[in-house]
Amino acid sequence: MKFAVIGATGYVGSAVVKELAGRGHEVTAFARNTDKVWQNENVKAVAADVLSDGFAKELQGFDAVISAFNPGWSNPNIGADYSRGAAAIVEAAKAAAVPYLLVVGGAGSLYVAPGLQVIDTPDFPREIYDGADAARRHLADLLPRRDVNWAFVSPPARLGADAGFSEEKTGRYRLGQDDLLLDGDGAAGISVADLAVAIADDVEQKAHLHSRFTVASA
């Protein structure tokens, strides 16, 4: 199959590129700096600006597109920059008639209780609030839309070693929908390699059209 990955040099995006390529798919890796794209015979690195007028043409001809777009957690304007870029990607996917656009969001919009999302709990880190809130609002904008073939994945609260989990690839995971997945009394986690496995499985099957899902280590 032919897949495109937006944000292909980021933490999640690079893992997804490796997983899809390892399965023998043709992968087009969109990035601002193509020199950082993981090199493989079935990976094509393409410099792209998601805000450019011609970006929709770049998205034509794929079985699915994965957007791991993130303007950078250290970016002081991350909220506004994420919102602008994410909206542009959706409109480009609509114009290109992308069969399946999987947006990689965050855990902040998952629910810990009825009506209470992770981002609104007292312990949520203030330093990442703006970016997480932009991702939450992006999901809210997508939910009623049927004019674009979107899906949205929220990683669990603990993603990889930086969040105190693991970087081990097991190839196993469990699925959830809108609620934060737990491991005992605490928040569940997943390695970025296993998140990439779940993402690759999803886009191969187009399994969550017009819905959000979450995953965690099995």
Side-chain angles (χ1 to χ4, degrees), residues 17-161:
V17 169
K18 292 176 184 177
E19 179 64 30
L20 290 171
R23 297 183 182 202
H25 299 302
E26 293 181 37
V27 183
T28 296
F30 290 113
R32 284 169 289 193
N33 185 349
T34 56
D35 291 341
K36 296 182 179 179
V37 171
W38 183 69
Q39 295 186 357
N40 189 273
E41 62 183 6
N42 51 333
V43 175
K44 177 184 178 183
V46 176
D49 178 1
V50 301
L51 299 176
S52 68
D53 293 337
F55 189 58
K57 289 184 178 179
E58 300 273 9
L59 296 185
Q60 292 177 344
F62 295 106
D63 292 292
V65 174
I66 300 96
S67 175
F69 170 78
N70 188 324
W73 288 109
S74 61
N75 180 347
N77 299 311
I78 185 174
D81 288 350
Y82 177 90
S83 295
R84 187 164 49 248
I89 290 166
V90 170
E91 293 310 312
K94 177 184 174 181
V98 169
Y100 193 77
L101 171 69
L102 178 59
V103 176
V104 181
S109 59
L110 293 167
Y111 288 87
V112 293
L116 179 62
Q117 292 172 301
V118 172
I119 192 173
D120 294 324
T121 58
D123 294 334
F124 191 83
R126 293 295 99 184
E127 62 270 19
I128 64 170
Y129 182 89
D130 286 350
D133 187 50
R136 168 173 64 171
R137 287 185 280 109
H138 186 44
L139 173 61
D141 290 341
L142 286 172
L143 284 171
R145 294 189 64 166
R146 297 295 180 269
D147 60 335
V148 63
N149 297 318
W150 67 270
F152 191 102
V153 58
S154 287
R158 300 165 62 213
L159 176 59

Side-chain angles (χ1 to χ4, degrees), residues 153-190:
V153 58
S154 287
R158 300 165 62 213
L159 176 59
D162 286 351
F165 193 70
S166 165
E167 296 295 348
E168 180 187 1
K169 181 178 180 179
T170 68
R172 302 188 307 275
Y173 60 90
R174 53 194 165 106
L175 288 166
Q177 190 169 4
D178 291 314
D179 295 331
L180 183 73
L181 292 175
L182 300 177
D183 186 1
D185 294 331
I190 198 168

